[in-house]
Amino acid sequence: MTERISIDIWSDVMCPWCVIGYQHLRRALDDLGREVEAEIRWLPFELNPDMPPEGEESRAHIARKYGRTPSEAAAGAGIMAERARAAGFSFDYTGEGEPPVTMMWNTFDAHKLLSWTVANAGAAAQMRLALALFAAHFQQRRRIGDREVLLDVAEASGLDRAAAAAALDDADLADAVRAEQQHAWDMNISGVPAIIFDGRFLVPGAQEPETYVDVIRKVIARR
């Protein structure tokens, strides 16, 4: 008998551990096969809500925020890239010509689009958009804080561009996203990824696939 389970992922598009954690979760669900049928929903968490429109170079940001030297930030980025590659999501640049500098961008509008998508087009459409945004940031190095870039990504993911543009202008949607982010803080979520299974069981950080398999089986057994 296949068990249905809801999985909510609090995340940020700028977060490398979020895409690594998702890759591990996906592998766990593949390993579980017909044991479970999961509906995954992405929820908003801004790692840098005060990030200005012009963004900040990634290594400089890490050095400033966490007190690391430039060489330490560069070494950390290399380790992260290896972890991502092992998880099945390369951070290698896929565009043409010399790769642009890696940047951190403001992601509030990206979260608005993700929230609007799940409410209006469903979880599968939101998943397509989330993965497209991760690819746009980590592989294509696009400026995903920019409105037109976001609309390009949304349209390429199968969403209506005009409707997505209207969503970005929706003040009520902005308030709803802020409320969801506040809800994360109210649950003592201070970092991402944070994954909630069945609406009750919180697993922080990017865990290994076997950990997610174990958690999902325990969640189902405790029903």
Side-chain angles (χ1 to χ4, degrees):
M1 178 179 174
T2 300
E3 296 280 354
R4 296 179 61 85
I5 187 169
S6 66
I7 302 176
D8 293 333
I9 307 176
W10 298 89
S11 72
D12 194 357
V13 178
M14 294 287 104
C15 170
W17 285 116
C18 291
V19 69
I20 291 170
Y22 168 73
Q23 290 293 109
H24 289 174
L25 174 63
R26 186 73 262 166
R27 189 176 302 171
L29 292 171
D30 289 343
D31 290 344
L32 287 164
R34 295 182 180 179
E35 286 185 51
V36 298
E37 180 181 340
E39 180 174 72
I40 299 174
R41 183 173 61 146
W42 297 85
L43 296 174
F45 189 100
E46 289 178 273
L47 288 171
N48 301 288
D50 298 325
M51 183 64 65
E54 64 271 18
E56 184 177 14
E57 193 274 324
S58 295
R59 293 181 186 180
H61 172 79
I62 295 298
R64 175 183 62 79
K65 185 173 182 178
Y66 300 106
R68 297 178 185 172
T69 66
S71 60
E72 288 172 338
I79 293 171
M80 187 71 70
E82 287 301 319
R83 291 292 300 273
R85 189 174 294 109
F89 188 96
S90 173
F91 287 173
D92 293 339
Y93 178 59
T94 61
E96 297 180 357
E98 189 71 19
V101 173
T102 57
M103 296 287 292
M104 303 291 286
W105 305 109
N106 187 292
T107 56
F108 186 68
D109 279 351
H111 287 302
K112 287 175 68 176
L113 279 185
L114 286 165
S115 294
W116 168 78
T117 300
V118 74
N120 291 273
Q126 189 198 40
M127 178 62 72
R128 290 194 299 272
L129 178 61
L131 296 181
L133 288 170
F134 279 127
H137 176 60
F138 288 108
Q139 297 174 339
Q140 301 157 15
R141 300 193 187 177
R142 301 173 72 179
R143 186 170 182 160
I144 62 170
D146 180 82
R147 177 188 178 94
E148 292 305 312
V149 172
L150 283 173
L151 293 177
D152 287 343
V153 174
E155 187 174 27
S157 300
L159 299 169
D160 181 85
R161 188 184 186 94
L168 291 179
D169 294 329
D170 187 340
D172 289 338
L173 177 61
D175 289 341
V177 171
R178 292 189 182 97
E180 285 191 316
Q181 293 193 101
Q182 183 58 50
H183 182 52
W185 284 103
D186 291 343
M187 293 191 299
N188 294 318
I189 295 174
S190 57
V192 286
I195 304 180
I196 299 180
F197 297 87
D198 248 9
R200 295 183 296 162
F201 301 95
L202 171 63
V203 177
Q207 305 298 326
E208 293 300 318
E210 55 269 24
T211 299
Y212 291 130
V213 168
D214 185 52
V215 168
I216 290 170
R217 284 179 172 156
K218 286 181 178 178
V219 167
I220 291 171
R222 290 176 182 176
R223 286 176 175 172

